[in-house]
Amino acid sequence: MTEEPIKVVLFAADCGGYDIERSMEELAALAQANGMEAVAEVVQKRETPEAATFLGEGRLAEGRMLCINLGAECAVFDAELSGSQIRNLEELLEVQVIDRTMLILEIFASRAVTNEGKLQTELATLQYRLPRLAGLGASLSRQGGGGGESKLEYDRRHVRRRIDALRERLEELERRRAETRKSREKSGVPVVALVGYTNVGKSSLLNRLCGAQVLEADMLFATLDPTARRLSLPSGLACVAVDTVGFVSRLPHNLVQAFKSTLEEAAFADVILKVCDASDPEAAAQLAVTDDVLGELGCGDIPQIVVYNKCDRVENAALFDTSAVRTSAVTGEGLDALLARLDAALAGRVRRIAVLLPYDKLGEATPMRENGTVLTEEYRPEGVYLEGIVKTMDLHRFTPYLV
């Protein structure tokens, strides 16, 4: 039996800084991804948010009546609130209040699969809560906290200690991941990273390309840990395809920091696939967000291929980038073209050769068998004739035997 979603009312101040309609749509999608149902919206046009309560008294009174009449248990604000604002709003609205960042953190906490994902989520949550501990007194007391200055100081000290411990553990995991990357580099296996906005179909595309089962869900942040799969290209070159956590607009900076390590797979990739949703009118804006984050990670020099996914949902999708590849993970459209582009981008990595190995030199075939592809194998009187694909870095091993 599936649980009923928690009813929530969405609140926002429209100060003209961004497309409020689009932002509220995204907030509703985030709420849905967190097991909530947005039953109403309260938006107030303002020059600046109200210091104490974010919105004006009149709109908040209206919001309180909406919560009562529609049975909403929570108010979600499309902004980052201070601890005192949250406390004041909970008193006025008489329901739990969370802001956009808390909502994203709750989703991250419920979706993180690996040990590292869980630690990163906890770290980001504690870093968010630390400066708000004083203001969040009432909310925290419901979660087992209490009042009083000494209690507050104790909580702060406890949170700081936990943050330090989490950082140490994450640094250790980062060292281990760096070793994994090094061994991958040593084996010469190229890495293809799929990056892009959340919910553009990266996991579905990876499953279609690799025939692997990665969690697919039509909701935000379905993937919160990098997922690596083996991908064979038409040339015979085997590579590792890595799915990464999706981006979201106005992602708070401490969240970008906390989740950078899941995105760092992109910084060490040989090719980056920038995936966007062809059916989304904001595709170009989403690609711009993706470029910004990749820029922050220092990925500018890595070959990149723009992929317009979900082409089955739209006729004649307008490509803002004429070199982009149109794909559909659902119908398979454009996958051959994408694989060909990947082959071209990694062409310097492999060569097709024909060799004749004397019978006492059969061990020399190992790099072709293990790191490449054997296409033809014939036993002849003078030795074994092999045609196949080898990595450029292994080519020197075959030079004496080339046909």
Side-chain angles (χ1 to χ4, degrees):
M1 218 173 87
T2 55
E3 275 185 45
E4 283 289 302
I6 296 164
K7 289 179 179 172
V8 299
V9 174
L10 309 181
F11 290 80
D14 181 6
C15 304
Y18 48 84
D19 180 344
I20 193 72
E21 206 171 299
R22 175 80 190 177
S23 194
M24 292 302 272
E25 275 173 28
E26 190 173 86
L27 192 67
L30 286 167
Q32 187 189 353
N34 197 39
M36 296 168 161
E37 181 195 357
V39 290
E41 288 181 9
V42 177
V43 178
Q44 184 176 32
K45 269 195 161 63
R46 303 179 60 91
E47 283 294 311
T48 55
E50 176 67 42
T53 54
F54 194 70
L55 297 180
E57 260 178 61
R59 293 322 294 272
L60 289 172
E62 183 189 317
R64 181 174 170 274
M65 290 315 296
L66 279 170
C67 291
I68 292 167
N69 295 333
L70 298 171
E73 298 171 44
C74 179
V76 182
F77 281 73
D78 190 31
E80 198 164 285
L81 301 172
S82 69
S84 57
Q85 282 176 329
I86 291 169
R87 188 184 57 212
N88 296 338
L89 286 165
E90 287 191 339
E91 281 172 13
L92 285 166
L93 295 170
E94 295 179 14
V95 291
Q96 185 194 3
V97 170
I98 65 170
D99 64 13
R100 187 185 169 89
T101 307
M102 286 164 86
L103 178 59
I104 292 171
L105 282 167
E106 282 187 13
I107 298 168
F108 278 6
S110 66
R111 296 286 154 78
V113 180
T114 64
N115 189 24
E116 183 171 17
K118 289 172 183 168
L119 293 176
Q120 284 170 330
T121 306
E122 190 187 345
L123 176 63
T125 304
L126 291 176
Q127 285 172 328
Y128 173 81
R129 278 177 54 174
L130 184 61
R132 291 170 175 77
L133 280 177
L136 286 171
S139 307
L140 290 177
S141 65
R142 282 205 297 273
Q143 296 157 26
E149 182 60 25
S150 58
K151 173 78 173 78
L152 177 62
E153 280 310 313
Y154 171 80
D155 285 347
R156 277 187 183 137
R157 220 173 30 251
H158 177 74
V159 169
R160 283 194 193 104
R161 266 205 301 269
R162 182 68 186 146
I163 285 173
D164 290 341
L166 287 168
R167 278 189 179 134
E168 269 179 45
R169 286 179 67 186
L170 284 165
E171 278 166 20
E172 173 58 33
L173 287 170
E174 174 51 44
R175 280 195 290 276
R176 272 190 230 160
R177 190 171 45 246
E179 281 160 25
T180 306
R181 271 200 297 265
K182 259 195 210 125
S183 64
R184 245 191 236 157
E185 282 163 20
K186 245 185 223 155
S187 71
V189 178
V191 176
V192 176
L194 286 80
V195 301
Y197 225 68
T198 190
N199 209 29
V200 295
K202 296 188 299 296
S203 300
S204 310
L205 196 57
L206 185 69
N207 285 341
R208 195 70 197 239
L209 289 169
C210 305
Q213 280 311 301
V214 179
L215 171 71
E216 281 177 41
D218 185 21
M219 54 167 57
L220 302 187
F221 300 117
T223 309
L224 266 182
D225 294 287
T227 314
R229 293 285 181 271
R230 181 190 165 89
L231 171 62
S232 297
L233 298 180
S235 66
L237 179 65
C239 49
V240 173
V242 181
D243 189 11
T244 59
V245 60
F247 311 150
V248 62
S249 66
R250 294 173 26 246
L251 186 63
H253 194 67
N254 62 327
L255 291 196
V256 175
Q257 289 304 113
F259 282 82
K260 256 193 180 165
S261 55
T262 62
L263 293 171
E264 264 170 10
E265 290 289 340
F268 295 93
D270 295 274
V271 181
I272 292 173
L273 298 185
K274 292 192 296 194
V275 187
C276 69
D277 178 351
S279 66
D280 192 324
E282 296 292 315
Q286 292 178 359
L287 282 171
V289 172
T290 304
D291 283 335
D292 287 347
V293 179
L294 289 176
E296 269 189 51
L297 289 168
C299 299
D301 300 335
I302 300 170
Q304 300 179 0
I305 300 169
V306 177
V307 180
Y308 276 76
N309 193 32
K310 302 193 184 182
C311 279
D312 54 293
R313 294 190 180 186
V314 61
E315 279 182 46
N316 307 318
L319 299 186
F320 302 97
D321 182 334
T322 49
S323 66
V325 182
R326 289 169 46 113
T327 61
S328 165
V330 175
T331 66
E333 179 195 340
L335 296 191
D336 290 344
L338 179 55
L339 289 169
R341 282 286 294 280
L342 279 171
D343 249 340
L346 295 165
R349 294 290 204 122
V350 290
R351 289 277 288 281
R352 183 168 176 150
I353 58 168
V355 293
L356 186 62
L357 295 177
Y359 283 108
D360 62 342
K361 299 287 184 190
L362 293 187
E364 295 298 324
T366 305
M368 187 186 285
R369 294 190 194 282
E370 291 186 357
N371 300 332
T373 310
V374 176
L375 301 171
T376 305
E377 186 168 357
E378 289 173 15
Y379 286 80
R380 297 179 177 179
E382 61 274 39
V384 177
Y385 171 80
L386 293 167
E387 273 181 43
I389 289 148
V390 296
K391 297 216 166 83
T392 311
M393 60 187 274
D394 292 329
L395 200 57
H396 66 281
R397 301 272 297 268
F398 296 95
T399 311
Y401 315 106
L402 288 172
V403 174

